[in-house]
Amino acid sequence: MTVSRGPIARFVAAVLAANAVAAGPSLAADPSPPHDLSSQARKAAPKTRPAPARPEKPTLPPRESFTAFEQQSAAIPGIPDARFWADSETAYLAALPSAQGPWLALSSGGADGAFGAGILVGLTAAGQRPDFALVTGVSTGALMAPFVFAGPRYDAQLKESYTTITSADIFELGGQGESFFDTWPLKDAIAKRVTPALLADVAAEHRKGRRLFVLTTNLDIERPVAWNMGAIAAAGDRRALELFRAVLLAATSIPGAFPPVLIEVRANGHTFREMHGDGGLHNQFFVAPAKMMASTSSYRLPAPIYLIINTSLTPTFVVTPRDTIAILNRAVAAGVRTLTRAMIDITYAAARRSDVPFHLAVIDPKFDTPSRGAFDPDYMTALFTFGFEQGKNGLAFRMAP
């Protein structure tokens, strides 16, 4: 089985490590023996060194004031259908695709997104890739979703994105008061990959009745937001391109580890900026609002469901050290895995209730390439190849959890 631990857990460990580094050197006395060991010298010697001066915390500008009422009605200026509350049944139904075809949900998973990217490129190679009417993405799934939605002509970019990057292409240590890490490298990478040409291709598919949803979490009101990326792309101007990129950055911004993203909105003539973070805080993947997926709901899914889970669901055995980072790492990994399993079971039950086919892809325990750390390109390349072979050979999906 893979020895790669959950990506969220790895980032939590990295955050704690960064916190330890930020705390500075030990404040203990110099361990070297003094030259004069007389009682007088011992009395005169200071017991401890003075604490080193800590760097000043960056001062961030205050945020604009706005009310809960304004937040509820806020919209993107000029693109009223740019997003909807992902827990709103009415808004969700209004945003669904008019085109017919299966739905694809791409899960969170960090570097393990290489698995999903490999499957989709493998399906293309086999001539078996469905024309998905709806594509949704959470966290790393959000980053690959636009390229998947735009079609197989972006497979080369999809492969490159998940086989050549390193942690240096995602973040660097040294946040500005909102996080432990700075994600300027990821922001730069998104700007290079999300081009006006990609935006035009996404807009063209949107006009055919297909839909592309990316999830973030609105941290001000603690609700999930589904961004209608095709509607944003269809606006076609520079501001739409910048918003498209900002949403993708927000969708992968793990609070505390990565800085949140502020997105400008307007309500009742008042312009202000909302704070958005990783959509995985609410959903590891997204098919429909939780109430509609519940066993008590009468909602019927209208299309076959494909789930690509970019993480291993198999528990791993490790004798956990008596260490804060190791213990938290294991606990978070177990929690994310449990939540993902529960969401898969709920989706499977909803598909059966709706009498639509269910297809699930998860990382097989047979994959055993070790990861040397966050965003290890050798590990990601091996995982991409593993997913590619499964997609190409028709082995990627099973019909039940």
Side-chain angles (χ1 to χ4, degrees):
M1 63 185 65
T2 176
V3 299
S4 172
R5 294 174 290 184
I8 293 180
R10 290 200 297 270
F11 275 120
V12 169
V15 168
L16 290 176
N19 194 25
V21 172
S26 168
L27 303 184
D30 190 337
S32 59
H35 295 292
D36 185 350
L37 298 180
S38 67
S39 60
Q40 184 66 32
R42 288 198 301 270
K43 290 179 182 179
K47 294 183 178 180
T48 61
R49 285 182 176 181
R54 291 178 179 267
E56 291 187 9
K57 183 178 179 180
T59 301
L60 299 170
R63 296 186 61 202
E64 309 91 336
S65 176
F66 57 95
T67 67
F69 177 77
E70 288 175 320
Q71 174 65 97
Q72 291 286 0
S73 59
I76 299 297
I79 317 176
D81 56 347
R83 71 336 173 26
F84 59 91
W85 296 115
D87 56 5
S88 169
E89 299 176 39
T90 302
Y92 166 81
L93 291 173
L96 287 180
S98 58
Q100 299 297 309
W103 293 3
L104 172 65
L106 301 165
S107 85
S108 63
D112 287 351
F115 173 67
I119 286 178
L120 290 159
V121 176
L123 289 173
T124 299
Q128 297 297 318
R129 181 157 154 183
D131 189 13
F132 297 107
L134 173 66
V135 177
T136 72
V138 174
S139 200
T140 194
L143 288 180
M144 71 174 75
F147 300 96
V148 174
F149 184 77
R153 60 187 174 278
Y154 285 94
D155 280 1
Q157 292 188 39
L158 194 60
K159 179 180 179 180
E160 179 189 10
S161 296
Y162 282 95
T163 59
T164 64
I165 65 168
T166 68
S167 58
D169 299 307
I170 305 298
F171 60 86
E172 69 174 16
L173 183 61
Q176 300 299 312
E178 296 176 308
S179 62
F180 287 106
F181 299 102
D182 191 334
T183 51
W184 72 261
L186 177 58
K187 183 177 180 179
D188 186 56
I190 290 173
K192 290 177 180 177
R193 287 172 167 80
V194 177
T195 62
L198 174 63
L199 217 68
D201 288 337
V202 169
E205 296 303 316
H206 178 79
R207 294 187 184 100
K208 295 177 183 177
R210 299 175 64 220
R211 292 295 178 265
L212 169 62
F213 299 155
V214 162
L215 262 67
T216 66
T217 297
N218 183 320
L219 298 174
D220 294 316
I221 199 169
E222 299 178 342
R223 291 181 68 183
V225 177
W227 294 84
N228 190 343
M229 304 300 279
I232 296 172
D237 56 14
R238 182 69 189 179
R239 198 168 62 89
L241 178 61
E242 292 174 354
L243 176 60
F244 198 103
R245 292 168 173 170
V247 169
L248 294 182
L249 183 62
T252 57
S253 295
I254 303 168
F258 293 169
V261 175
L262 299 178
I263 297 179
E264 185 175 288
V265 297
R266 186 178 300 151
N268 302 321
H270 180 200
T271 299
F272 55 93
R273 294 186 298 171
E274 302 169 338
M275 181 178 286
H276 287 261
D278 196 300
L281 295 176
H282 283 275
N283 303 275
Q284 295 304 303
F285 59 85
F286 180 72
V287 174
K291 288 183 179 179
M292 301 177 75
M293 299 293 285
S295 60
T296 54
S297 172
S298 60
Y299 176 67
R300 296 176 65 86
L301 295 168
I305 301 298
Y306 284 76
L307 299 183
I308 295 182
I309 305 301
N310 294 303
T311 190
S312 173
L313 299 180
T314 305
T316 58
F317 173 76
V318 172
V319 178
T320 306
R322 299 178 69 177
D323 171 81
T324 302
I325 294 175
I327 293 169
L328 183 57
N329 192 358
R330 296 290 286 173
V332 172
V336 170
R337 189 179 294 119
T338 300
L339 174 60
T340 303
R341 283 201 207 96
M343 289 189 64
I344 291 170
D345 289 343
I346 290 170
T347 305
Y348 176 65
R352 292 200 63 182
R353 181 180 73 230
S354 306
D355 196 25
V356 298
F358 174 87
H359 308 269
L360 172 67
V362 298
I363 299 176
D364 194 298
K366 295 177 182 177
F367 178 75
D368 59 1
T369 300
S371 172
R372 297 171 299 179
F375 299 99
D376 171 10
D378 293 336
Y379 168 82
M380 293 173 69
T381 298
L383 185 54
F384 177 93
T385 302
F386 183 80
F388 175 85
E389 292 299 328
Q390 288 204 323
K392 182 180 178 181
N393 296 322
L395 302 174
F397 295 98
R398 60 194 194 215
M399 306 301 288

